[in-house]
Amino acid sequence: MRGYAYTALMLLRFLQARGLDLASASEVDIQDFRRWRLDEAEQTVGEAAWDRDAAAIGCLYGFLLRQGVVERRPWRATTRRQRTLASGTRRDLRVRHMELEQYLYCRDVGFGGLAPDGGLDQGFRGWRPHRNRAACELALLTGMRIQEWSTLLLPELGLLDGRRPRTADVELGACAKAGHHRSVYVPGDAMELLDPYLLLERPEIVAKAQGTLRRDHRDLFVITRLEADGAKVCGVLEGRTVTRPIRGMDSRLRRIAVRETGDGLDPLAVFIGAGGRMLTASGWDRVRWAAWERMKAAATGGVGPELPVLGISRSASHVRAAAADLFDPAGAR
């Protein structure tokens, strides 16, 4: 409390030098006090110390509000969460990086269903391990967020008619973070790990989903042809023939997009689940939680690397952990 009292006294003296008091101070005055503390005072402070000052000033004006001395705080909330004068910098680091050994253990044992020694685990009862490993690797090597890589369509990776390019350049648009368009390079290792899923698991999922897809035919966006080298799709949506640029398709439209191949309906999404539909965020949550539980169970036997305490950061000395959006056991994001 002594620190809070010292901050209140400094603020009061700062305002009195301007011929003001706590009730007549404006937002400009409070911001000038902040600037003075950070840059101009005889003993300036850093952001951590200023955050303590901001908490003290917030408590002070909260008391003045309750007492009816002021009608409102003399500063505006910039966002729903940023309602104080604090810097907004988080110092309780809830995200930790993964070392390479930990990541490979996560990908191959947790998501891929292998034994900790890299062999086949006869007791594994998971679902679609090749899909899950490929998604994990794609997230890691590209840095894409979950709403970006999980909504990718086959044409965006050049995955049509049995072709698979060595690398790919993806133009993110409607599904990009904050809707900001950008280009993402998909390296060869990420593309290569898609092969087992595309050759073994995905055709089986599509074949089993034909009944469901045919039944829901009227509710789907049925693509009849690709245009502009796969950058646009033309098809029937809600009874009308429309053309859409793939880059501008949102997640809802991507989820119902299917291609009429002559042999059946093929979902346009890269990663699909039961019924041939693109997995939702909650679907990927179940996948990653199952992976985390599997990793913990294997680790109790004293095999495998030490598990991370919380999650994965977006960068580390060995791996750029964009996979945090896929694997985040503590909800660190």
Side-chain angles (χ1 to χ4, degrees):
M1 294 302 295
R2 179 177 297 180
Y4 275 32
Y6 180 64
T7 297
L9 181 60
M10 280 194 298
L11 175 62
L12 187 58
R13 288 175 176 172
F14 181 86
L15 294 175
Q16 286 177 340
R18 296 185 167 201
L20 302 170
D21 57 21
L22 294 172
S24 59
S26 67
E27 181 175 11
V28 172
D29 298 314
I30 302 298
Q31 292 297 341
D32 285 347
F33 175 70
R34 176 182 183 275
R35 189 178 305 109
W36 175 76
R37 282 286 280 155
L38 291 172
D39 302 322
E40 300 171 6
E42 184 176 343
Q43 293 183 342
T44 58
V45 297
E47 286 191 347
W50 166 253
D51 284 349
R52 290 191 291 271
D53 287 348
I57 296 171
C59 289
L60 174 61
Y61 272 97
F63 172 77
L64 296 177
L65 270 172
R66 292 190 297 272
Q67 297 299 314
V69 177
V70 297
E71 295 182 356
R72 60 179 180 82
R73 292 178 175 86
W75 62 84
R76 295 165 294 176
T78 56
T79 67
R80 289 179 61 187
R81 293 185 178 182
Q82 185 69 17
R83 293 179 177 173
T84 72
L85 297 169
S87 65
T89 302
R90 295 189 63 92
R91 295 176 180 83
D92 55 331
L93 187 61
R94 301 170 60 204
V95 182
R96 300 293 186 269
H97 76 270
M98 265 191 173
E99 301 297 336
L100 178 59
E101 184 184 13
Q102 292 174 325
Y103 167 70
L104 294 176
Y105 183 73
C106 164
R107 185 195 70 184
D108 297 336
V109 176
F111 288 99
L114 297 179
D117 62 1
L120 183 64
D121 186 352
Q122 298 291 345
F124 178 65
R125 295 294 181 268
W127 203 70
R128 308 308 177 193
H130 293 306
R131 179 198 63 191
N132 301 340
R133 288 180 73 235
C136 193
E137 189 83 343
L138 184 67
L140 172 74
L141 296 184
T142 64
M144 285 190 281
R145 279 75 174 174
I146 187 170
Q147 76 269 19
E148 297 169 343
W149 61 257
S150 68
T151 58
L152 284 174
L153 302 183
L154 294 172
E156 292 179 296
L157 294 179
L159 302 173
L160 288 174
D161 303 322
R163 301 192 308 270
R164 198 269 289 165
R166 184 177 179 276
T167 63
D169 289 291
V170 179
E171 297 297 325
L172 296 175
C175 291
K177 181 181 179 181
H180 296 315
H181 292 200
R182 75 177 195 278
S183 179
V184 174
Y185 173 71
V186 183
D189 287 345
M191 296 292 289
E192 185 176 341
L193 205 59
L194 285 167
D195 285 346
Y197 163 62
L198 295 174
L199 295 174
L200 300 175
E201 292 180 350
R202 196 178 187 281
E204 181 184 356
I205 298 174
V206 173
K208 289 182 177 180
Q210 287 306 302
T212 301
L213 294 174
R214 287 297 182 189
R215 185 176 62 249
D216 298 338
H217 186 275
R218 293 184 178 181
D219 299 324
L220 302 176
F221 180 18
V222 181
I223 309 299
T224 54
R225 69 176 185 273
L226 300 175
E227 299 179 351
D229 294 327
K232 294 182 179 181
V233 292
C234 180
V236 179
L237 176 64
E238 297 177 347
R240 297 184 298 112
T241 299
V242 298
T243 300
R244 294 284 187 271
I246 289 181
R247 186 176 184 177
M249 293 171 61
D250 60 20
S251 59
R252 182 197 66 83
L253 192 56
R254 288 166 177 256
R255 187 164 288 116
I256 62 173
V258 297
R259 188 184 182 200
E260 181 63 73
T261 64
D263 296 325
L265 296 175
D266 187 4
L268 218 59
V270 175
F271 299 113
I272 56 176
R277 295 296 184 91
M278 179 189 296
L279 268 71
T280 61
S282 60
W284 283 113
D285 276 343
R286 290 190 292 271
V287 170
R288 67 184 185 181
W289 274 107
W292 175 245
E293 293 300 325
R294 177 173 166 76
M295 290 169 64
K296 287 198 301 182
T300 56
V303 294
E306 181 181 355
L307 297 183
V309 177
L310 292 177
I312 311 174
S313 71
R314 192 158 293 281
S315 62
S317 58
H318 295 290
V319 293
R320 291 187 308 108
D325 287 315
L326 177 62
F327 170 65
D328 184 8
R333 288 186 179 275

